[in-house]
Amino acid sequence: MAELEGLEFGKSDFVLLDEVTMEQFMENLRLRFEKGRIYTFIGEVVVSVNPYKQMDIYGKEVIEDYRGRELYENPPHLYAVADAAYKAMKRRAKDTCIVISGESGAGKTEASKYIMQYIAAITNPSQRAEVESVKNVLLKSNCVLEAFGNAKTNRNDNSSRFGKYMDINFNFNGDPTGGHINNYLLEKSRVVQQQEGERNFHSFYQVLRGGSDELLKSLYLQRDPAEYAYTSQGASASNNDSLCHKAVMAALKVIGFTAEEISSIYKILSTILHLGSLQFTNDGEHVIIVGEDTVKHISELTSTEAENARKTLLYRTVATGGGEVIEKGHNEKEASYGRDAFAKALYERLFAWIVGRINSVIEVKDYNPALHGKNTVIGVLDIYGFEIFDNNSFEQFCINYCNEKLQQLFIELILRQEQDEYQREGITWQHIEYFNNQIIVDLVEQPHKGIISILDEACLTAGKVTDTVCLDSMNKKLGQHPHYTSRKLCPADKTMEFNRDFRIRHYAGDVTYSVEGFLDKNKDPLFQDFKRLMYNSSDPVLKEMWPDGKMSITEVTKRPLTAATLFKNSIIALVDKLACKEPYYVRCIKPNEVKSSMLFDDGRCQHQVAYLGLLENVRVRRAGFAYRQPYARFLQRYKMTCEYTWPNHLMGSDQEAVEAIVNQHGFEDDVAYGHTKLFVRTPRTLFTLEQERSALIPILVLFLQKVWRGALARMRCRKLRAIYTIMAYYKCYKVKAHFWEVERRFTNVRNMADYGKSVEWPTPPAALVQFHRITQHLYRRWWARQLIKNIPPSDMAEVRAKVAALSALSGERVDWGYSRAWERDYLAKDSPLTSTNFVRITKELKNKDQYSQILFSCSVRMLNWFNNTKDRALLITDKHIYRLEPKKHFKVQKRIPLDSVVGVSVTSGSDQMVALHTASQDDFLVHLQRGQLNPNQDRVGEMVGSLTDHFTRIKINFDIFWEACGTKIVLYTI
């Protein structure tokens, strides 16, 4: 913990204080409050200081941090205690309880909410519907009980005006299966009277401010709380009553209250408000009610007869000794007293009925231990803390008695836990001096001699017994008691009034009580007429609340127990219930009276620390040894401080390794060795180890980072090597697979008619794309070779020319003569009459110009610039292009070197137009003649193929142009 929370936040466990003094305790408490650390441990006890602000320490992530962890593994928190109680219950099948105490405004109610939320969050991971239903009811019950049991006081805007103990039952899986709620000492006097600046219970303001217009109309209510005597005191203050009303209505429905029951609840609330508005006056002989309409409203809301309600408010039925029944009229004071007593009783019974109704829903049903396993319990006690006011009355007396009993149990259980642990570990137990408050408990509850017995005796005594007479009786019987005094017993003490005050010296401090009203509050009288009136109501909910109203007035009944005795019995039962459970404590402290998140009032806090017994708790916890830890955990935390235990020891046991650590640091005189734990006497030893550990941690962290980073780098390197190896093998496999597939497909192509032209090539892997293209090229060359190897050499020139023409004209010119034999030298063959002269001329030109072969010859028709046509002859050799005059024995009209030709233009149609382009731009346009024997013969393709083949073989670029023909635009290919 010292590492989780640095020393700048103070000590997270008060047990680790250097000296156990009030000054050091308060200094540490103040420092942690100012640093925003509102929780601090005392061993397994959590001290909680109300921060008076929202804190981001309760979300789902924080819950996960504390789930299943030990107390000392995380900073102090309510969740740590809740988880410890849950683990003890689940792992050891042991009933546990969490006792939350502190004065009003210290944060008890919020603490109980967070504990309930934590338990709900960590249970039922499988989301079983029946378990979720129980959890929802348990959580929603808080909302309902707050509305009907909490009120705004001068100390707290949401003060619990009752004590609450909730048992949560769990099955063997650790999931909640039900529960039970006990309530203690509801402050019912608040219903009819509140101190200045305070409010009545929240429920009244919520129904007035949050109820619908229809609801208020049906209840005969006005929306303004100032209209009613019982709520006018807090009419100006608002605690989001409208929103809270909606939340309460929703919670009631979730819990399982029916619409009729909810209606009855609000009818009872409105009845109480109307009762407060009743006024009584004296007409001379009798007391009458002012405003009969209010009585009619009350009778309608309670489902009773209006006349019966009126008579109950004005008269009291009394049975005489002879069995005669007479009606005795009230005076104004008695009528007002009866009205207020009735209002208080109505609210008290309503609250008790709501608690009982919730219990009927959440109680464990059809439980069979043999079938369902052991049923374990976690109890949560949220009860009022010690109260010392300027004017302390019967309620403060009961509350402080309750705290005496709980303090007694607290000290006993803490001592018992300490003693049990020492015995388990074989450590000699040392007697611890502490204040035993049994003497104060006896002062209050001892039979025949205690204050409660004296009060009961006064209430049972016939005749007029006043509070002063009762005080005199206490002075006589308790005058020698060291913790009791009064002004009569101590005349010099002017802080007390004669015949009014007495003082009890509680463990938390001296409290002066005013005896005025003690007897009335202890008797808690309510005329039997009111009970019979409610029992005879036609409303089943009201009838159920008043079972004692069924008795006739003439029936002799046992006098009911007094309020103090009932409270004493319930507290004794509560203590017995807590004593059989493993307890965990939350001690709540209120830092100031102005609800400030910045102010820490030393005086107020010191007073609370005193009456909560926190300093005594620290002394008990560290009376023998301040710190104890299992050997394995101690070794895990401090093994780096000893060379013999780091990183792992080679000794026989963890205890020997721990002894090595202790001896190396010289602490052997400050520790004791138990069977499973090491006990450290003083906190200084622990702090020395912590400081050395804190100094070593950065070095170890750097070392571990270095080792881990190296390990990560090596793992990454091995992975990369493996990846590259796999990639290499895979690539090799893909290459081989591709080769095998190509081989398989092309094995038989020599024997195929098309030499494999129809075989589909497999898709190559990326690494073989270039190789694949080369392979396809080689295959095509081989395929071409297979086709042409049987062609005679004399036909090869024609084949090459056709191939050249195909590459130039394919797709652009439909018919270019590829299907016929190409003669090339048509002038020598077309006309026998002229062929002799042409052959003679070609021989002369061959001798003169030294050409090797004739590429093409043909009769043409020339077109000049004047649109005149003339028949000519065209001769193309490998040296020149000749334009000849056929009519003049093929006389040469023009000679153009072949290497000066830069291009040929043809059309895409079937015409025979050809344009020859020269470098000197001396172009000429000719129309090839088809000849007399073959008038449909296309010779353009032959001429283009011959020229292209020739220029290809001598490696000179040659351009083919496509010209516009008529309105058709044809493509130029360069």
Side-chain angles (χ1 to χ4, degrees), residues 421-672:
E421 184 170 27
Y422 277 49
Q423 290 175 351
R424 281 197 309 270
E425 295 295 325
I427 305 295
T428 303
W429 171 253
Q430 299 177 354
H431 179 70
I432 298 172
E433 292 294 336
Y434 70 98
F435 172 66
N436 188 341
N437 66 337
Q438 181 64 45
I439 188 172
I440 304 174
V441 173
D442 289 342
L443 170 65
V444 176
E445 70 176 19
Q446 189 174 13
H448 310 300
K449 296 180 181 180
I451 294 175
I452 291 178
S453 294
I454 295 171
L455 287 173
D456 288 353
E457 184 180 343
C459 292
L460 294 173
T461 302
K464 190 70 173 177
V465 180
T466 63
D467 294 323
T468 304
V469 173
C470 181
L471 179 60
D472 288 337
S473 178
M474 287 193 291
N475 289 334
K476 290 177 183 177
K477 294 183 177 181
L478 303 173
Q480 302 302 315
H481 198 285
H483 289 267
Y484 174 88
T485 187
S486 68
R487 182 67 185 273
K488 184 176 181 179
L489 299 175
C490 188
D493 189 349
K494 296 182 179 180
T495 59
M496 293 183 288
E497 291 288 335
F498 277 111
N499 300 324
R500 191 192 74 181
D501 296 339
F502 69 94
R503 181 177 296 153
I504 297 178
R505 188 173 299 159
H506 290 283
Y507 78 93
D510 295 350
V511 182
T512 301
Y513 298 98
S514 171
V515 79
E516 292 179 353
F518 258 57
L519 291 182
D520 278 344
K521 291 177 181 178
N522 189 40
K523 291 178 183 176
D524 194 19
L526 179 67
F527 300 137
Q528 190 72 20
D529 303 75
F530 289 110
K531 299 177 183 179
R532 285 195 294 274
L533 177 69
M534 292 296 97
Y535 180 76
N536 293 320
S537 168
S538 59
D539 186 334
V541 174
L542 266 176
K543 191 179 184 72
E544 184 182 346
M545 292 180 190
W546 299 84
D548 47 348
K550 66 181 178 180
M551 292 182 295
S552 169
I553 189 63
T554 57
E555 289 185 53
V556 178
T557 59
K558 186 178 179 180
R559 185 183 293 270
L561 295 176
T562 62
T565 300
L566 287 172
F567 184 71
K568 180 189 75 172
N569 293 342
S570 65
I571 293 302
I572 292 174
L574 172 64
V575 169
D576 291 342
K577 190 178 292 186
L578 295 176
C580 65
K581 294 179 172 62
E582 184 173 319
Y584 294 85
Y585 291 91
V586 178
R587 302 302 214 185
C588 299
I589 292 178
K590 184 177 182 179
N592 56 74
E593 291 290 348
V594 294
K595 304 171 187 174
S596 169
S597 61
M598 305 296 291
L599 179 62
F600 186 88
D601 187 334
D602 280 313
R604 288 286 299 115
C605 294
Q606 185 170 329
H607 174 68
Q608 294 171 76
V609 168
Y611 77 64
L612 286 171
L614 300 184
L615 210 59
E616 199 154 30
N617 186 5
V618 177
R619 290 195 181 100
V620 168
R621 179 70 179 177
R622 58 176 283 172
F625 296 91
Y627 178 81
R628 67 286 313 267
Q629 186 75 283
Y631 291 123
R633 291 193 176 275
F634 184 90
L635 183 63
Q636 181 68 26
R637 186 164 185 82
Y638 300 113
K639 64 181 180 179
M640 71 286 298
T641 64
C642 177
E643 58 183 330
Y644 303 112
T645 57
W646 178 260
N648 294 301
H649 70 86
L650 300 176
M651 301 177 190
S653 66
D654 287 347
Q655 181 175 347
E656 293 179 24
V658 170
E659 289 179 10
I661 296 173
V662 170
N663 293 335
Q664 178 167 321
H665 292 84
F667 298 145
E668 54 268 18
D669 294 334
D670 199 43
V671 301

Side-chain angles (χ1 to χ4, degrees), residues 17-295:
L17 291 173
D18 294 332
E19 296 179 13
V20 186
T21 63
M22 180 61 78
E23 291 73 19
Q24 284 213 9
F25 191 100
M26 293 304 300
E27 182 181 347
N28 191 58
L29 188 66
R30 183 194 311 106
L31 175 61
R32 291 184 63 77
F33 174 76
E34 291 171 351
K35 295 289 187 180
R37 299 302 191 267
I38 62 172
Y39 299 120
T40 312
F41 284 135
I42 302 177
E44 295 182 346
V45 177
V46 170
V47 179
S48 169
V49 183
N50 192 338
Y52 286 118
K53 63 181 179 181
Q54 293 294 325
M55 301 191 72
D56 188 21
I57 56 173
Y58 304 104
K60 291 182 179 179
E61 293 181 0
V62 181
I63 289 175
E64 289 303 317
D65 289 342
Y66 283 86
R67 182 199 293 262
R69 297 297 188 92
E70 299 298 333
L71 275 173
Y72 43 77
E73 289 188 60
N74 281 311
H77 201 290
L78 287 172
Y79 291 166
V81 170
D83 195 79
Y86 180 75
K87 287 202 300 285
M89 178 274 300
K90 187 174 181 181
R91 293 177 181 175
R92 305 200 299 270
K94 195 166 186 178
D95 291 345
T96 61
C97 63
I98 301 173
V99 180
I100 307 169
S101 60
E103 70 175 42
S104 179
K108 301 187 300 297
T109 300
E110 291 300 310
S112 67
K113 284 185 192 176
Y114 287 128
I115 288 172
M116 292 291 292
Q117 288 171 5
Y118 181 83
I119 293 174
I122 65 173
T123 53
N124 194 29
S126 58
Q127 297 293 303
R128 290 170 52 207
E130 62 272 22
V131 178
E132 284 300 304
S133 175
V134 171
K135 284 164 56 176
N136 286 337
V137 171
L138 290 172
L139 292 175
K140 293 297 183 182
S141 66
N142 277 329
C143 176
V144 175
L145 294 179
E146 277 188 28
F148 289 90
N150 289 23
K152 178 186 181 301
T153 67
N154 291 323
R155 291 186 169 192
N156 185 3
D157 288 344
N158 188 33
S159 176
S160 296
R161 307 318 299 163
F162 70 106
K164 180 180 71 174
Y165 176 75
M166 176 184 286
D167 267 335
I168 308 171
N169 298 85
F170 294 85
N171 60 17
F172 68 97
N173 285 329
D175 293 330
T177 57
H180 186 83
I181 299 171
N182 293 97
N183 65 294
Y184 302 95
L185 196 65
L186 177 72
E187 189 190 18
K188 61 182 180 180
S189 61
R190 180 171 293 272
V191 173
V192 299
Q193 185 179 9
Q194 308 92 41
Q195 294 186 29
E196 185 177 352
E198 297 189 351
R199 297 205 319 172
N200 208 323
F201 291 99
H202 294 325
S203 55
F204 293 107
Y205 304 94
Q206 289 173 4
V207 70
L208 291 174
R209 290 197 170 107
S212 64
D213 293 336
E214 293 77 9
L215 176 63
L216 295 184
K217 184 178 179 181
S218 67
L219 300 175
Y220 305 105
L221 294 177
Q222 304 295 319
R223 195 168 291 279
D224 186 5
E227 296 289 328
Y228 303 97
Y230 292 162
T231 57
S232 58
Q233 175 71 42
S236 60
S238 174
N239 288 15
N240 297 321
D241 297 309
S242 179
L243 292 176
C244 291
H245 175 72
K246 293 178 182 177
V248 171
M249 290 291 285
L252 289 170
K253 292 175 182 176
V254 169
I255 293 171
F257 285 81
T258 65
E260 292 75 16
E261 289 172 334
I262 295 174
S263 175
S264 294
I265 290 171
Y266 287 107
K267 284 180 180 179
I268 294 171
L269 290 179
S270 59
T271 298
I272 294 171
L273 291 175
H274 289 305
L275 281 171
S277 299
L278 284 178
Q279 297 295 324
F280 301 96
T281 186
N282 199 324
D283 66 350
E285 296 182 1
H286 303 287
V287 174
I288 60 172
I289 299 173
V290 179
E292 289 291 334
D293 289 343
T294 305
V295 178

